[in-house]
Amino acid sequence: MNTNWQLFADYLPFLVPLIILEFGLMIAAVIHILCHQHYRFGNRLLWLLLVIFIQIIGPIVYFVFGREDEN
């Protein structure tokens, strides 16, 4: 019975930085989406849903493809 908890405890040092990275990217992307009006593709609602529900990949896709240059 304790093997599941022991396995979780063994992987916890690897999971904590990934969780922090995930939330940091998500918060940065959401703030950027809410502060800016123009996007290369899609609209605000599309990007918010993508960033919030597709965890690590969503913010990366937004910063690579969705964010418009500030000119």
Side-chain angles (χ1 to χ4, degrees):
M1 289 294 224
N2 276 347
T3 58
N4 290 337
W5 287 108
Q6 184 61 34
L7 184 65
F8 178 73
D10 290 342
Y11 285 115
L12 192 61
F14 300 109
L15 293 175
V16 171
L18 286 176
I19 292 170
I20 292 171
L21 175 70
E22 174 186 329
F23 280 116
L25 276 173
M26 184 177 67
I27 290 170
V30 167
I31 289 172
H32 194 272
I33 291 169
L34 294 176
C35 291
H36 293 86
Q37 300 292 325
H38 304 287
Y39 313 100
R40 275 190 229 159
F41 306 107
N43 59 13
R44 181 177 286 176
L45 180 62
L46 170 82
W47 286 114
L48 281 174
L49 291 175
L50 184 82
V51 165
I52 292 171
F53 290 116
I54 302 177
Q55 295 299 317
I56 285 188
I57 297 170
I60 293 171
V61 168
Y62 171 71
F63 284 123
V64 172
F65 297 112
R67 188 174 87 155
E68 186 173 298
D69 294 333
E70 300 193 25
N71 290 333

